[in-house]
Amino acid sequence: MTRVSRRTLLTGGIGLAGIGVGAAAVGVGHEVSASTTDAPSTLPFFGEHQSGITTPMQSHVNFIGLDLVDPADHRVLQSILRMWSQDAANLTQGRPGFSDTEPELAGDPSRLSIAVGLGPGAFASPALASRRPGWLTPLPDFAIDRLRPEWGQTDLVVAVACDEPMTLAHTVRLVIAPVRTRTRVRWMQQGFHHGRNLFGQVDGTVQPDARRYDDLVWNDGREQPWMAGGTSLVLRRIAMNMDTWESLDRHGRELSMGRTLDNGAPLTGSHETDDPVFTATSGGIPVIPESSHIARAHRRTDREQFLRRPYSYDVPPSPGSGDTSDSGLIFAAYQRDPVVQYVPVQQRLSDHDALNEWTTPIGSAVYAMLPGPREYLGETLFA
Amino acid sequence: MTRVSRRTLLTGGIGLAGIGVGAAAVGVGHEVSASTTDAPSTLPFFGEHQSGITTPMQSHVNFIGLDLVDPADHRVLQSILRMWSQDAANLTQGRPGFSDTEPELAGDPSRLSIAVGLGPGAFASPALASRRPGWLTPLPDFAIDRLRPEWGQTDLVVAVACDEPMTLAHTVRLVIAPVRTRTRVRWMQQGFHHGRNLFGQVDGTVQPDARRYDDLVWNDGREQPWMAGGTSLVLRRIAMNMDTWESLDRHGRELSMGRTLDNGAPLTGSHETDDPVFTATSGGIPVIPESSHIARAHRRTDREQFLRRPYSYDVPPSPGSGDTSDSGLIFAAYQRDPVVQYVPVQQRLSDHDALNEWTTPIGSAVYAMLPGPREYLGETLFA
């Protein structure tokens, strides 16, 4: 078997990059507003914010949770972020990664985004300890939680998302392989987006007004200047018990959600985006039950708003478990400050939410999502 | 919580079916020839052959392997096949299943196909024993195999495929749930199709001429009249070792396959569909090595042809395994007679194939894929 030098291999890889670029749609330099396959197929990597957060949701996602082998050495973290940046700058634009041995799989970016966040453990080194945002701490214990350590907090998260599963698999490989001696992959959470969840419910209806992203989503750098343009991610893995849910009748399921199943309209309205009227009654009984999910989740103050990006998961049940499904929701919430914006809502849902009977949070983690890179991810943290 | 009767629920479900049909493209009654999202979105359920076999490959698949709780009772098998038929006849056309509690998830069939096959164990009842095709036996032991029981032969297989992961998840649920007391799910194999595999190779190039499907793919009923219009499926799960593969240089990888990586052309040609010239030499050395995959897989006789439908899989590695990936190929081969058409090729590959160094078969099973239904799947078996 002939062996060529690493240099030749890399040169070959770079030469081939042209094929990928030629085959892919040329990037537009700003986020696309449609999610159809006709839309431009690249999202920017560089900019004020990371792509993949306010981007219209891609159809496939893989959240990768990694721990640092040596969290005390902040230079290693910096190197990891530089390596990821180099590859992400290419892969998101349809070009192969630096040591990409399957460059042909890079030519169809399909709105690929690679967004990186840091967990509390990433600030373990003395050099970074003072740079941890105050809100980057474990969430309070919620009574409904049945958290499993295998889906818990990690030092790093990489949210890879795109519209093509092969592109996703290839990219995930290039995220993990170059850092394998410096990190340990704790979990991967693969999901897909449809607009409805596996309960058949229209999901992700309530969102902050895009004109208020600067206020509600993006960090302003007031507490930690290096975080300006970043945000926070609360990632919850919520198991959904299909068997018991399906034993409930249709009307009962609509009452538990507070929305119709056919188009997601609140029970007091006719369209998905109609504002629910929680004061409406019928025969003295609230049309939208106070215990319903939307009544409990509805914001009580202006600050209780966050970006919801729900992905469904459906993986084969563990062999021997006797379960017919292992499915649920990967619930990603983005907000400037999770303590102020997310936690009060989650606390209400934990205290009481009709849906709790069929849903169980089994994973939970919080991350500081980095600002968008000018040169490389995390550059302001190390400045 | 209000409870309505099961009858009301079902009526509601049927009423809602109209929404799904209205939203979905109307079926065309024959198989579509394109795999783009603009193509008609339904495939026929009824007909001479099951859809999903010669159909242009959908982007997502889930092969479900089930065992019968009581294989001695052939009436149970018949009931299972009737239930699946009833749901498949609706779901494939964008209508909810019979006891579908999430009817809204049925409205986007996205070229959904639900194809059913029987393993040897399905013929365990005295009434069916004489109806088992002679070729429906375990494959020979191949020296390269490292088969794991969790991916082994089952009594039944259901191949669910479509272009939309939520439709897939919903359909899989409706396949499993109604038969849960009568079957045990042994495995699910979720895959995706791209045209290249995770090694970056163009895959599935060599296929029988469509004009010869009647001869090479479809059963003619000569041995078992009830099988006329059916076929056989060999399902192999082949782990691919990404780490060692990627340590090989590009030229070495092309030599091991016998094709270029950029467009899949044989090393003696310039286009994917060029016929390889195994006699060509350069400096006295074969251009396509005799040990290469395509040299070994190339048919030696006219009968050694079968339909290749390779899907990739990429699932999170087992926690604690230390692996960076758990990925490979779900290789589905369809042919009239696996013993005559498939086994000789597989034997050659087992004896020697350069790719064996990086690939390991870990699952293997054979099924009699039922003829297409007039009224319900398996009707000729029970006639």
Side-chain angles (χ1 to χ4, degrees):
Chain A
M1 200 71 68
T2 309
R3 290 214 169 244
V4 296
S5 72
R6 182 173 168 84
R7 187 176 151 278
T8 310
L9 175 64
L10 287 172
T11 312
I14 291 163
L16 277 153
I19 296 170
V21 175
V26 175
V28 290
H30 57 81
E31 297 195 2
V32 298
S33 57
S35 61
T36 69
T37 49
D38 298 317
S41 66
T42 63
L43 298 173
F45 174 67
F46 297 102
E48 188 177 0
H49 311 298
Q50 293 194 83
S51 287
I53 294 171
T54 58
T55 310
M57 287 178 76
Q58 298 101 324
S59 62
H60 294 76
V61 76
N62 195 337
F63 289 95
I64 313 165
L66 310 97
D67 286 332
L68 292 162
V69 171
D70 183 5
D73 186 347
H74 69 284
R75 292 293 164 203
V76 171
L77 175 59
Q78 187 177 21
S79 296
I80 290 169
L81 295 173
R82 278 190 190 275
M83 291 180 74
W84 280 343
S85 300
Q86 178 175 248
D87 276 350
N90 283 304
L91 290 166
T92 58
Q93 306 309 306
R95 299 185 297 260
F98 177 68
S99 55
D100 197 337
T101 49
E102 286 82 37
E104 290 80 8
L105 299 182
D108 178 19
S110 297
R111 302 199 303 132
L112 175 66
S113 62
I114 302 170
V116 176
L118 308 181
F123 297 87
S125 72
L128 300 183
S130 66
R131 302 207 154 191
R132 185 173 57 78
W135 44 257
L136 187 58
T137 55
L139 295 183
D141 291 330
F142 298 112
I144 50 167
D145 287 356
R146 299 291 178 271
L147 302 183
R148 299 180 195 163
E150 64 263 36
W151 301 116
Q153 181 72 53
T154 58
D155 296 339
L156 305 170
V157 71
V158 185
V160 184
C162 66
D163 293 322
E164 160 57 50
M166 177 57 84
T167 304
L168 188 70
H170 177 64
T171 304
V172 167
R173 173 96 195 130
L174 282 179
V175 167
I176 294 171
V179 300
R180 72 181 76 180
T181 62
R182 299 301 194 165
T183 63
R184 298 269 181 278
V185 174
R186 274 270 295 286
W187 42 252
M188 292 189 201
Q189 303 200 40
Q190 298 175 336
F192 52 94
H193 168 67
H194 178 264
R196 291 182 184 268
N197 62 33
L198 288 158
F199 280 176
Q201 300 163 332
V202 177
D203 208 340
T205 300
V206 176
Q207 300 288 8
D209 189 315
R211 286 165 297 189
R212 295 198 55 200
Y213 284 170
D214 280 344
D215 174 31
L216 293 169
V217 177
W218 303 122
N219 192 291
D220 62 0
R222 214 175 306 179
E223 186 211 352
Q224 291 286 357
W226 74 268
M227 268 296 290
T231 183
S232 76
L233 163 65
V234 175
L235 190 67
R236 306 268 293 174
R237 189 173 182 89
I238 303 170
M240 291 162 51
N241 190 322
M242 298 301 295
D243 290 343
T244 57
W245 172 255
E246 292 180 351
S247 70
L248 183 68
D249 64 66
R250 188 172 177 88
H251 187 56
R253 282 180 276 137
E254 292 186 330
L255 289 173
S256 72
M257 181 65 178
R259 293 185 181 276
T260 66
L261 283 162
D262 63 347
N263 69 354
L267 297 180
T268 52
S270 53
H271 300 290
E272 182 194 346
T273 53
D274 288 349
D275 281 329
V277 182
F278 296 110
T279 53
T281 58
S282 170
I285 299 169
V287 176
I288 299 174
E290 290 171 29
S291 64
S292 68
H293 179 73
I294 64 164
R296 300 297 297 175
H298 189 73
R299 66 172 185 268
R300 302 288 202 267
T301 71
D302 180 69
R303 292 313 292 171
E304 291 179 5
Q305 299 190 64
F306 47 85
L307 199 63
R308 294 165 162 84
R309 292 174 74 89
Y311 281 93
S312 295
Y313 71 87
D314 182 48
V315 296
S318 308
S321 69
D323 295 333
T324 58
S325 64
D326 180 358
S327 49
L329 205 65
I330 303 166
F331 185 78
Y334 294 93
Q335 55 283 306
R336 178 185 287 183
D337 184 336
V339 175
V340 174
Q341 294 168 256
Y342 174 86
V343 169
V345 177
Q346 183 56 51
Q347 186 61 57
R348 273 202 304 280
L349 295 176
S350 176
D351 294 343
H352 196 91
D353 170 4
L355 285 184
N356 288 347
E357 192 169 335
W358 306 281
T359 60
T360 309
I362 58 172
S364 186
V366 189
Y367 300 95
M369 299 303 289
L370 298 171
R374 268 65 177 168
E375 188 195 339
Y376 72 97
L377 288 164
E379 60 206 352
T380 54
L381 176 61
F382 299 100
Chain B
M1 203 69 69
T2 308
R3 289 212 169 245
V4 296
S5 71
R6 182 174 167 82
R7 188 179 152 276
T8 310
L9 176 64
L10 287 173
T11 312
I14 290 162
L16 277 154
I19 296 171
V21 173
V26 175
V28 290
H30 57 83
E31 297 196 0
V32 298
S33 58
S35 61
T36 70
T37 50
D38 297 317
S41 66
T42 62
L43 298 173
F45 174 66
F46 297 103
E48 189 178 359
H49 311 298
Q50 293 194 83
S51 287
I53 295 171
T54 57
T55 310
M57 286 178 77
Q58 298 101 323
S59 61
H60 294 76
V61 75
N62 196 337
F63 290 94
I64 313 165
L66 309 97
D67 285 332
L68 292 162
V69 171
D70 184 5
D73 186 348
H74 70 283
R75 292 291 163 204
V76 171
L77 175 59
Q78 187 177 22
S79 296
I80 291 169
L81 294 174
R82 278 190 190 275
M83 291 180 72
W84 280 344
S85 300
Q86 179 175 247
D87 276 350
N90 284 304
L91 290 167
T92 56
Q93 307 309 306
R95 300 185 298 260
F98 176 69
S99 55
D100 196 337
T101 49
E102 287 82 36
E104 291 80 8
L105 299 182
D108 179 18
S110 297
R111 302 200 303 133
L112 175 66
S113 61
I114 303 170
V116 177
L118 307 181
F123 297 86
S125 72
L128 300 183
S130 67
R131 302 208 153 191
R132 184 173 58 77
W135 45 257
L136 187 59
T137 56
L139 296 183
D141 292 330
F142 297 112
I144 51 167
D145 288 356
R146 298 291 178 271
L147 302 183
R148 299 180 194 163
E150 64 263 37
W151 301 115
Q153 181 73 54
T154 59
D155 296 339
L156 305 170
V157 71
V158 185
V160 184
C162 66
D163 293 323
E164 160 57 51
M166 177 59 83
T167 304
L168 188 71
H170 176 65
T171 304
V172 167
R173 173 96 194 130
L174 284 180
V175 167
I176 293 171
V179 301
R180 71 181 76 180
T181 62
R182 300 301 194 164
T183 63
R184 298 268 181 277
V185 174
R186 273 269 296 287
W187 42 251
M188 292 189 200
Q189 303 200 41
Q190 299 175 336
F192 52 94
H193 168 67
H194 178 265
R196 290 182 185 268
N197 62 34
L198 289 157
F199 280 174
Q201 299 164 332
V202 177
D203 208 340
T205 299
V206 176
Q207 301 287 8
D209 189 316
R211 288 165 296 189
R212 295 198 56 199
Y213 285 169
D214 281 343
D215 173 32
L216 292 169
V217 176
W218 303 122
N219 192 292
D220 61 0
R222 216 175 304 178
E223 186 210 352
Q224 291 286 358
W226 74 268
M227 268 296 289
T231 184
S232 75
L233 164 65
V234 175
L235 190 67
R236 306 268 294 175
R237 189 172 182 89
I238 303 170
M240 292 162 51
N241 189 323
M242 298 301 295
D243 290 342
T244 56
W245 172 254
E246 292 180 350
S247 69
L248 182 68
D249 64 66
R250 187 171 178 88
H251 187 56
R253 282 180 276 136
E254 292 186 329
L255 289 173
S256 71
M257 181 66 177
R259 292 185 182 277
T260 66
L261 283 162
D262 64 346
N263 69 351
L267 298 180
T268 53
S270 54
H271 300 291
E272 182 193 347
T273 52
D274 288 349
D275 280 330
V277 182
F278 296 109
T279 52
T281 58
S282 170
I285 299 168
V287 176
I288 300 174
E290 290 171 30
S291 63
S292 68
H293 179 73
I294 63 165
R296 301 297 298 174
H298 188 72
R299 66 173 184 267
R300 301 290 202 266
T301 72
D302 180 69
R303 293 314 293 171
E304 291 179 5
Q305 298 190 63
F306 46 85
L307 199 63
R308 293 165 161 84
R309 291 174 74 89
Y311 281 93
S312 295
Y313 71 87
D314 182 48
V315 296
S318 308
S321 69
D323 294 334
T324 58
S325 65
D326 180 358
S327 48
L329 206 65
I330 304 166
F331 186 77
Y334 295 92
Q335 55 283 306
R336 178 186 286 184
D337 184 336
V339 175
V340 174
Q341 295 168 257
Y342 174 85
V343 168
V345 177
Q346 182 56 51
Q347 186 61 57
R348 273 201 304 280
L349 294 176
S350 175
D351 293 343
H352 197 90
D353 171 3
L355 285 183
N356 289 346
E357 192 169 335
W358 306 281
T359 60
T360 309
I362 59 172
S364 185
V366 189
Y367 299 96
M369 299 303 289
L370 298 170
R374 268 66 176 168
E375 188 195 338
Y376 72 97
L377 288 163
E379 60 206 352
T380 55
L381 176 61
F382 299 100

